[in-house]
Every structure is written in structure tokens, then in C-alpha cells.
Amino acid sequence: MGQYLAVGLRLKATVSKEKQLEGKSIEEILGKVEDKYNLSEIYERREEETYYEYSIKKEVLDKELVPLIEKFYALRYTKDERTDATNVIGALKALPDTSARLELLNDRRFQTYQAGDDMEYFHLDIFPPMKIRVCSCNAILSIDGKIAMECYGRVFDFFSRCIAVQLQEFALSKALTVWIDG
């Protein structure tokens, strides 16, 4: 199994409640995490016993999921490329609602529309320095590989920002993320 360069939507993110957070301003720390991962107004935050969970609001997904994917595919894939993007759009439009469209991710029958997870540590610039584990559940919209990279975080942030600018008419563009999957 290899690693692949993936681009997709961060549907859900969980932020671990680390022991080292005790005594710190949780709202300040979560604010820094929210800024870093663009967990903006399109996400709802829920507190659980051992983590905070951010999920994209249902009304945003209902309104923008298919239109954003259509425009993303038009930007990402050329007419000469052999992809299943056209089949994905047809399948998504044939499904009755967003829940069914998100369930399709788990079938993994499309290369350009499948579930993917990512986990990384966010290093906080506070004293004393600390890192917080952030796990994401994503909808893969593009996956290419195999890839091997070291120290890739800043360039992936750049890729994410560039893609979001191209799709800025969609609130969901704030949920786009780039990572190495596998």
C-alpha cells in the first residue's frame, strides 16, 4: 500500500482533549485550531468527553455539495483525462439527499469520490509549546500517487488556499483540504 496526494472536503474534524490543555484557555486554543484548519462558520462544534467535534452544517452540504463538486471536477480534470468524475456526478444527482450522497463515499466504488481520513498534530505557539491531535474525516475528490514527501505542511496549506480561491463562491470551499492519504 502506498501514499497518495489527496484533495477533498473536510467533512468532520475532531480535536483531542489533551491532558496538557488543563488550565489553559480552551476557547483561545480552539480558536487557533479553528483558524489553522478553517473550521469556520460552516461547521458546528460539539463537545464530547475526550474530544471536540466539528461537522459541516447540513444546510451547507444540502445546498453546495453537488455544485461545488461539479465545479471542482471541471477545474481539476481535463477532457482528455480518463476519470470517473462524470459517473460520480450522475450518481450523486440520482441520490435523494445529502445523507445518501455521503454514504456513497464509504462504498469506495469511485476513485474521485470516496472516504479518506487524515491525522496530524497541530503545534500551538503558546508557552509552554504543545501539540494537539486533529483527526479529519474527508470526502476525497482527487487522489494521485504514489507520493513521498517530507515537510509538506506549508505547501499543502498553499494548495488548499489556491483551490478555495478558485471556488470562493461556495461556502464549502472553506472545507477543502489537501493531505497524503494511505
Side-chain angles (χ1 to χ4, degrees), residues 113-146:
Y113 189 77
Q114 59 181 291
D117 298 324
D118 182 31
M119 192 278 296
E120 67 180 277
Y121 286 93
F122 174 53
H123 296 269
L124 287 159
D125 58 350
I126 61 176
F127 186 80
M130 67 173 67
K131 60 184 181 179
I132 298 175
R133 187 173 47 147
V134 179
C135 300
S136 299
C137 298
N138 307 307
I140 294 173
L141 305 180
S142 169
I143 191 161
D144 294 284
K146 296 187 173 179

Side-chain angles (χ1 to χ4, degrees), residues 56-74:
I56 295 181
K57 294 176 182 174
K58 183 185 179 316
E59 60 270 13
V60 176
L61 286 170
D62 289 344
K63 179 181 175 188
E64 294 190 0
L65 182 65
V66 174
L68 175 121
I69 290 173
E70 285 179 302
K71 183 154 185 192
F72 176 84
Y73 286 168

Side-chain angles (χ1 to χ4, degrees), residues 44-106:
E44 295 174 319
R45 182 174 81 191
R46 195 177 83 225
E47 184 175 357
E48 296 293 334
E49 187 176 331
T50 60
Y51 61 90
Y52 295 93
E53 180 179 89
Y54 294 83
S55 299
I56 295 181
K57 294 176 182 174
K58 183 185 179 316
E59 60 270 13
V60 176
L61 286 170
D62 289 344
K63 179 181 175 188
E64 294 190 0
L65 182 65
V66 174
L68 175 121
I69 290 173
E70 285 179 302
K71 183 154 185 192
F72 176 84
Y73 286 168
L75 289 168
R76 169 62 182 88
Y77 301 111
T78 65
K79 291 180 180 18
D80 298 335
E81 286 183 89
R82 291 184 171 262
T83 70
D84 56 9
T86 303
N87 297 336
V88 170
I89 295 298
L92 291 174
K93 287 183 174 182
L95 292 170
D97 56 28
T98 300
S99 295
R101 292 179 182 123
L102 295 177
E103 243 343 276
L104 184 61
L105 291 165
N106 298 321

Side-chain angles (χ1 to χ4, degrees), residues 10 43 109:
R10 180 178 287 115
Y43 289 88
R109 66 179 221 221

